[in-house]
Amino acid sequence: MKMRDNIVADTDSYKYTHYWQYPEGTENVWSYFEARTGAKFNKTLWYGLQYYLMEYLEGIVVTRDLIDEAEDLALNHFGTLDGTFNRPMWEYIVDKYDGRLPIRICSVPEGSFIPVSNILMSI
């Protein structure tokens, strides 16, 4: 398995600690994706989401082996874990959802030209 196929490890370093920002008891998080103002073009041709969902997010995508691999990467990267890597969250997904991501995604229609500063998809 290549590291790029590990959804648990496929993130920017600082995002490992995003969960620290959530109030205790948080059960749902709402995020979105947009083309920001200042982009080279004033509209975005939105396409490829269906491919990405089927290729990377469909079915069982989180396993204990992937969690172990990502935890090792985080330890080597940060030099310590100190709670940086949220292993219990990933194990919860394996235990409760059998490794399937408990997410819902809403999107503008693929093939649409969307002006910048508008939500293209929410998750």
Side-chain angles (χ1 to χ4, degrees):
M1 160 137 338
K2 295 178 222 141
M3 187 64 74
R4 69 175 184 80
D5 293 332
N6 184 342
I7 195 168
V8 182
D10 189 17
T11 186
D12 298 323
S13 297
Y14 73 95
K15 290 181 182 166
Y16 277 115
T17 62
H18 273 189
Y19 78 100
W20 289 345
Q21 300 172 40
Y22 304 143
E24 190 172 328
T26 298
E27 294 183 10
N28 296 293
V29 176
W30 182 281
S31 299
Y32 67 92
F33 183 79
E34 72 169 296
R36 295 182 180 170
T37 301
K40 183 175 182 179
F41 300 101
N42 64 0
K43 290 186 178 181
T44 298
L45 173 58
W46 181 242
Y47 72 96
L49 180 61
Q50 291 301 311
Y51 167 80
Y52 188 85
L53 295 176
M54 290 184 283
E55 185 71 18
Y56 299 103
L57 302 183
E58 185 176 65
I60 297 171
V61 296
V62 180
T63 65
R64 294 203 190 281
D65 287 342
L66 294 176
I67 295 169
D68 291 343
E69 185 178 273
E71 184 177 51
D72 186 55
L73 176 70
L75 177 60
N76 284 300
H77 180 69
F78 294 110
T80 182
L81 289 179
D82 290 335
T84 302
F85 182 74
N86 192 351
R87 185 178 186 100
M89 176 196 68
W90 292 107
E91 289 177 335
Y92 177 81
I93 292 171
V94 170
D95 294 340
K96 181 161 183 171
Y97 299 102
D98 196 31
R100 292 173 172 84
L101 297 174
I103 58 176
R104 290 189 182 151
I105 296 175
C106 298
S107 170
V108 299
E110 291 198 57
S112 299
F113 281 98
I114 307 296
V116 296
S117 298
N118 286 284
I119 295 175
L120 300 169
M121 65 169 248
S122 63
I123 183 168

